[in-house]
Amino acid sequence: MNMDDSQIKDQDLAKLSEEEEAFRSSIGTMDSKGKRQWVFPKKPSGKFTKYRTWVSYFLLAILVIAPFVKLPNGNPLFMFNIPKGQFIIFGFPFFTSDFFLLAIGMIATIVFIVLFTVVYGRIFCGWICPQTIFMEHVFRRIEYWIEGDRPKQMKLAKQEWDEEKIRKRLLKWTIFSLISFLIANVFLAYVIGSDELLELVKEGPNKNWSTFIGLIVFTGLFYFIFAWFREQVCTLVCPYGRLQGVLIDKKTIIVAYDFKRGESTAGRSKFRKGEDRKAAGKGDCIDCKQCVVVCPTGIDIRNGTQLECVNCTACIDACDEVMEKVNLPKGLIRYASEENIETGQKFKFTGRMIAYTLVLIAMVVAINSFLFSRNDVEVKFLHVPGKNYKIEGESISNVYEYTMYNKTNGDLRVKFGLKSHDDGKIRVLDGPSTIVLTKGNVQQGVVEVRIPMADVSSYKEPVTMVALDENGKELDEYLTSFSAPY
């Protein structure tokens, strides 16, 4: 009899352990058969929700306004014209010849993401990611306004298609479609520029069918993402959540549940008024599940770090509100590292975090200085193959091929000069002395450099040639060698 009881107890414990660990092999938005489980998160409120709302609206304003802002040089603030290979960042134009800068920027971005995630976890996902901002602070808020909070949405979902459900769903879908169309137009402005977008709007779809069809396709894509696919973008499509598993460690800042405080020795338990929970060995978690119902990805943060968690802080606000009501300390769920939770220490910036943060700042500064310190015109002078120097009277001449690239959005009139030798001369052999360099284009040609023999002291004399605009302003310089018989 005792053996049977022991076996039954062991089986029950094993079953309980399997249920507790089931979350590790499943996704909160799908059942065991792979069928979609719709998430109806409770509307969050609290300190962090308020801060995230301010940040989100600020970033949304920048996103919408930026492509329509014109700088004094006539360029938009941002434009990413991929078909034409033209990019404008903070008003500075970049072309295909700047591809190496793009490559360096991409490598630096990857390093930045790795370091940032190692230190700060998925704070980007919860506070800055466009998917989270649009979903939680635009589309979800419209849904709350039309359909109500979690209980009303769940009731409406189960409700028959009566007049109320049809009216609410049609209103929501219509507004979602209009916002998706506006988002598609904003992103189009980043590609073709605001002026061309406004011109397309004036002309109408009849004269621009291809562009209009593209807009409709992207409108449908945005509608699909925010009306149906939703949080599954983060859990099934975005690679960042999966990178999290290999990048974070016990020192990484995450949205964490304090299991030591929440479980104590006797585990979590429902709240009973007047009970001495500490004496009973019960943890501060009263198992109200408010952190679960408020989660936009449908997980239980008390199970620890999970793929679906985007660090949106909704569970922090929900838990703090409950703790305040039952007169228990806030911070049962908070920003902390696993090490902070295990040791019971309060969160503080460690030397490692400070060092990583300084590296991140240095990388941003270096990338920006590297990108925006480049000249508007790039020029190179190379010796013409097979052409040797010539001695004519008291002078020596060399012939060079030049390649010049205009990295501005305007045409330039360029002349060449010799910066290293005052008595030297440079002459264009295959055209006028003033070269018209059109915007974004490459110009090639041949020049002759003549220097008095008295000014040459080496068989490879260093010479510096410069490109000058029509006002004599130096645009770029190039150091090369000048052949001589010495």
Side-chain angles (χ1 to χ4, degrees), residues 237-300:
V237 178
C238 181
Y240 191 34
R242 302 182 186 281
L243 278 174
Q244 171 190 238
V246 296
L247 292 179
I248 67 172
D249 57 24
K250 289 188 175 183
K251 298 179 182 291
T252 304
I253 303 170
I254 56 174
V255 172
Y257 165 66
D258 189 341
F259 61 89
K260 295 190 74 173
R261 176 187 151 194
E263 308 295 319
S264 192
T265 56
R268 64 186 75 145
S269 175
K270 295 290 183 182
F271 176 75
R272 291 181 182 177
K273 193 173 182 179
E275 180 185 30
D276 189 345
R277 296 178 68 87
K278 190 173 183 181
K282 296 179 179 179
D284 282 356
C285 178
I286 64 172
D287 204 22
C288 63
K289 292 186 170 59
Q290 289 303 299
C291 59
V292 180
V293 299
V294 81
C295 179
T297 57
I299 64 169
D300 189 341

Side-chain angles (χ1 to χ4, degrees), residues 35-86:
K35 186 179 179 181
R36 171 77 177 274
Q37 289 190 147
W38 203 266
V39 178
F40 297 96
K42 178 185 175 184
K43 186 177 181 180
S45 62
K47 178 179 69 174
F48 284 105
T49 299
K50 180 175 67 176
Y51 292 158
R52 282 201 310 128
T53 301
W54 291 348
V55 171
S56 296
Y57 288 157
F58 174 72
L59 294 176
L60 281 172
I62 292 176
L63 178 70
V64 174
I65 295 171
F68 299 94
V69 173
K70 287 290 186 70
L71 298 178
N73 62 4
N75 291 336
L77 194 60
F78 295 103
M79 190 170 77
F80 306 94
N81 197 329
I82 298 173
K84 293 183 179 180
Q86 182 180 356

Side-chain angles (χ1 to χ4, degrees), residues 392-405:
E392 298 179 6
E394 298 298 320
S395 298
I396 304 173
S397 67
N398 281 210
V399 179
Y400 299 85
E401 286 182 338
Y402 72 84
T403 302
M404 190 162 46
Y405 198 96

Side-chain angles (χ1 to χ4, degrees), residues 172-191:
K172 182 178 78 170
W173 294 339
T174 301
I175 295 176
F176 278 14
S177 299
L178 291 173
I179 294 176
S180 298
F181 183 70
L182 289 174
I183 295 172
N185 275 273
V186 169
F187 278 92
L188 181 62
Y190 278 99
V191 175

Side-chain angles (χ1 to χ4, degrees), residues 31 79 86 112 219 234 256 262 298 305 311 318 356 377 422 437 444:
D31 59 21
M79 190 170 77
Q86 182 180 356
F112 184 94
T219 297
C234 305
T305 303
N311 283 206
Y356 274 34
V377 171
D422 293 336
L437 191 59
Q444 292 180 314

Side-chain angles (χ1 to χ4, degrees), residues 16 93 97 113 128 137 316 343:
L16 180 62
S97 65
I113 289 172
I128 303 174
H137 297 278
I316 296 180
T343 60

